[in-house]
Amino acid sequence: MNDVKMSSDGESDPASSSDDVQSPVRVRLRNKKISTEDINKRLSLPADIRLPDDYLEKFNLIGPALFEQPISRRLRRVSLSEIGFGKLETYIKLDKLGEGTYATVYKGRSKLTENLVALKEIRLEHEEGAPCTAIREVSLLKDLKHANIVTLHDIIHTQKSLTLVFEYLDKDLKQYLDDCGNTIHVHNVKLFLFQLLRGLSYCHRRKVLHRDLKPQNLLINERGELKLADFGLARAKSIPTKTYSNEVVTLWYRPPDILLGSTDYSTHIDMWGVGCIFYEMATGRPLFPGSTVEEELHFIFKLLGTPTEQSWPGISSNEEFVTCNYPQYRAERLSNHTPRLSSEGVELLSKFLQFEGKKRISADESMNHCYFSNLGNRVRSLPDTTSIFSLPEIQLEKETKKPTATPDPGNTHTPHTGNIPSRRRSLLF
Ligand SMILES: Nc1ncnc2c1ncn2[C@@H]1O[C@H](COP(=O)(O)OP(=O)(O)O)[C@@H](O)[C@H]1O
Ligand SMILES: [Mg+2]
C-alpha cells in the first residue's frame, strides 16, 4: 500500500536523495515581487491556475529565499503542499457526476482558485497499492499538455483513495448529444471532429494511444472546446471486458481486427473509434451498438460488407471469423445512412472505417482532408496549447435545444435505460 508514493506533482518518489542534486538553472528573482506566473513556472502548476491574493502575499513573505535557489523535487512538494495542493480539504465535493470504469467522479470546487474541478476518486480499499490504471493515467497525463486534452491539476493520495483533480468541463459528448436532441449542428460536428483529431494527433506523435475513445470520454465546455479524457486504458496490457463494478465495457467503438483477437495495438486502434464517433455525431445514433463480440462484428459486416480474402487478406484463416459463419453481406452505401454529411464528410468517414488497421487514415493526415478546408489553414498551425476558438474565423454555432424525454425513434438499437439522468446513464455502457 505504501510502496508507491504519489506527490502532488504526480511524481513517485522513491525517497532517494538524487533529486536533491542542484539544478544548474538558477532563477534570479531578488528584488522582484513574486507573481502568480513565477509561482506557476516554479512549481509546474498548470498555466491557467489563479492563486488568491493572500497566497501571493504569503509567498512574498516566505518566498524570496525559496525562489533564489534551484528547487529540489522534495522542496517543491513541500511548497505545493503549503499552498494547499495535494490535500483533500482544498476541494469541496459537490454532485456526483458518475461512476466510470474504475472510479467515481464528482464535481468539486477548489478553495484555492474558486474554480470548478472534477474529482476522480479511485478507492484503494480492495487494491494492493494504487491501481495501475490510475498510476498509468497520472504518469501519462502529466506529460500531455494540449488544448484538446483535459488538464490534470492535482493529485491527492490518502490511505483510502487516490483522487485526480481535473479541470471541469460542462458535459461529455454523450450528454451533449442528449441535450441537443441527438442533432448536433453540422458545423459543430466538424469542429468537434477536428478537435478530437488534433488531440489524438498530439498523443499519437508521442506514441500514446487512447484505446477507449467513446462519447463519454470526450468532454466539451461552453466555448465548444472538446478535450480527450480518461486515459485509464491508454497503456493497459489488455483491454478489459468488465469494469471494477462489473459493468460491461462497451464494444461499440472497438475495431474489427481487435474484436477478432488481434493484439497488434497501434495508433490505428483509435482511428476506428473516431469513425464511429464521427458517425454518431452526424446522425445522432451509435454506429455499431453490439452487445456481444459476435453481434458487434455482425453490425459491422452488415454495413461494410462481410470481409473476403480480397477485402481483408488473411481473414479466411481467422478462426473466430470462420466459426461465426457470418452471412455474405454486400457493402452498403455509407451516404445512404448519413444524409447530413457532405460527400467530403462521407469520404473521410470511410477512411476511418477500414477493416485493416494499417489502411485507416491517421489523425494527422485526416486533419488535412478536404472536409476541413472551409475551416481555413490557420487551425493546423496553432501552438499545441492554443484553442482553435482563439481564431476569429472559428465560431461555434448555437444548438437548438430539444427535449430528450422521448428516445430517438430511429434508433432501435439503443438499450433501454429508463429514467436515469443522461450524464449518469451514459456511464452505464
Ligand atoms: N474533467 C471533467 N469534467 C466534467 N466531467 C467529467 C470530467 N472527467 C470526467 N467527467 C465525467 O465523469 C465520467 C467518468 O469519468 P472518466 O474519467 O471517464 O472515468 P472512468 O475511467 O471511470 O470512465 C465521464 O464520462 C464524464 O461524464
Ligand atoms: Mg470513462
Side-chain angles (χ1 to χ4, degrees):
M1 170 80 215
N2 277 330
D3 49 3
V4 183
K5 285 191 199 133
M6 279 283 170
S7 59
S8 59
D9 58 358
E11 286 165 338
S12 63
D13 184 0
S16 77
S17 57
S18 61
D19 57 356
D20 291 335
V21 172
Q22 299 255 310
S23 144
V25 186
R26 298 217 166 246
V27 181
R28 287 179 223 283
L29 281 164
R30 205 187 289 271
N31 303 329
K32 189 185 160 204
K33 218 166 155 52
I34 296 164
S35 67
T36 306
E37 202 188 330
D38 293 328
I39 298 177
N40 284 357
K41 270 199 210 135
R42 191 73 171 150
L43 305 179
S44 306
L45 299 180
D48 58 347
I49 222 157
R50 260 170 292 142
L51 298 171
D53 289 344
D54 48 330
Y55 277 93
L56 271 182
E57 284 294 307
K58 197 166 160 191
F59 258 87
N60 276 307
L61 284 178
I62 63 155
L66 177 75
F67 275 73
E68 268 167 22
Q69 346 155 341
I71 194 168
S72 72
R73 199 198 285 178
R74 198 182 310 278
L75 184 55
R76 189 171 84 182
R77 186 160 63 243
V78 170
S79 40
L80 279 167
S81 160
E82 200 154 314
I83 305 177
F85 284 89
K87 294 177 180 166
L88 267 183
E89 59 267 28
T90 302
Y91 304 94
I92 303 164
K93 212 189 250 185
L94 305 169
D95 334 339
K96 181 167 164 176
L97 294 174
E99 223 152 306
T101 318
Y102 69 99
T104 310
V105 183
Y106 297 90
K107 186 175 180 172
R109 186 180 295 282
S110 162
K111 291 183 199 163
L112 264 180
T113 61
E114 295 295 315
N115 286 343
L116 287 174
V117 292
L119 302 165
K120 182 164 181 174
E121 194 178 276
I122 299 136
R123 284 173 299 275
L124 302 176
E125 284 136 290
H126 312 295
E127 299 267 354
E128 280 294 309
C132 40
T133 32
I135 306 254
R136 264 187 239 116
E137 184 164 2
V138 169
S139 60
L140 270 170
L141 273 167
K142 271 198 327 126
D143 300 325
L144 300 177
K145 291 188 173 23
H146 191 275
N148 300 114
I149 297 171
V150 71
T151 305
L152 177 66
H153 282 322
D154 197 6
I155 300 155
I156 304 153
H157 193 194
T158 69
Q159 284 289 312
K160 285 201 180 127
S161 67
L162 181 67
T163 303
L164 312 187
V165 184
F166 290 101
E167 65 175 310
Y168 179 81
L169 283 91
D170 309 278
K171 47 183 94 169
D172 61 44
L173 177 61
K174 176 81 178 89
Q175 193 190 2
Y176 190 98
L177 267 159
D178 287 343
D179 290 352
C180 62
N182 290 315
T183 315
I184 305 183
H185 193 295
V186 281
H187 181 67
N188 297 346
V189 169
K190 189 175 290 189
L191 295 180
F192 291 159
L193 179 65
F194 189 83
Q195 294 181 88
L196 166 57
L197 292 167
R198 197 173 164 234
L200 212 50
S201 152
Y202 174 91
C203 293
H204 289 176
R205 256 180 281 142
R206 277 157 190 76
K207 307 266 179 289
V208 172
L209 315 182
H210 188 284
R211 309 209 301 188
D212 196 18
L213 290 180
K214 54 183 175 183
Q216 296 90 322
N217 288 341
L218 303 177
L219 305 174
I220 298 174
N221 65 18
E222 241 137 44
R223 204 179 174 196
E225 290 168 338
L226 177 144
K227 305 199 184 201
L228 302 181
D230 196 356
F231 283 78
L233 291 185
R235 276 193 189 153
K237 287 223 174 60
S238 63
I239 303 177
T241 51
K242 292 273 177 77
T243 70
Y244 78 100
S245 52
N246 222 26
E247 280 164 11
V248 180
V249 173
T250 184
L251 297 168
W252 300 1
Y253 307 90
R254 213 171 271 192
D257 47 333
I258 302 292
L259 289 167
L260 284 170
S262 165
T263 51
D264 171 21
Y265 300 140
S266 72
T267 55
H268 320 299
I269 190 176
D270 288 331
M271 301 319 295
W272 178 271
V274 170
C276 299
I277 292 166
F278 183 22
Y279 176 96
E280 192 163 335
M281 289 195 292
T283 64
R285 291 190 302 271
L287 178 53
F288 303 124
S291 44
T292 60
V293 169
E294 191 176 341
E295 189 189 34
E296 183 64 25
L297 285 163
H298 202 136
F299 279 135
I300 294 172
F301 299 155
K302 188 147 189 311
L303 181 72
L304 301 177
T306 308
T308 60
E309 205 45 42
Q310 217 172 26
S311 63
W312 187 349
I315 190 67
S316 52
S317 48
N318 182 296
E319 231 169 84
E320 283 183 54
F321 175 74
V322 176
T323 39
C324 282
N325 198 20
Y326 292 101
Q328 296 295 310
Y329 294 114
R330 282 184 46 188
E332 292 181 36
R333 269 182 184 279
L334 269 182
S335 55
N336 290 346
H337 297 260
T338 51
R340 298 200 309 140
L341 272 190
S342 61
S343 54
E344 291 88 357
V346 178
E347 211 252 350
L348 177 56
L349 176 62
S350 71
K351 292 192 164 177
F352 294 128
L353 299 178
Q354 294 293 316
F355 288 137
E356 289 177 277
K358 60 173 194 260
K359 287 199 183 146
R360 282 171 219 144
I361 191 170
S362 70
D364 209 35
E365 215 184 317
S366 41
M367 286 160 71
N368 289 313
H369 191 272
C370 58
Y371 171 63
F372 295 114
S373 41
N374 67 342
L375 298 183
N377 285 327
R378 296 201 293 177
V379 275
R380 276 178 288 273
S381 47
L382 289 171
D384 288 337
T385 51
T386 304
S387 161
I388 63 164
F389 293 99
S390 65
L391 298 170
E393 66 268 31
I394 304 294
Q395 297 280 342
L396 188 76
E397 293 287 341
K398 232 184 156 55
E399 301 286 357
T400 36
K401 297 255 185 255
K402 289 190 187 155
T404 50
T406 45
D408 174 7
N411 185 3
T412 49
H413 306 301
T414 304
H416 179 71
T417 48
N419 276 335
I420 312 166
S422 58
R423 185 158 189 142
R424 219 165 299 166
R425 184 177 84 204
S426 72
L427 296 163
L428 294 177
F429 355 101

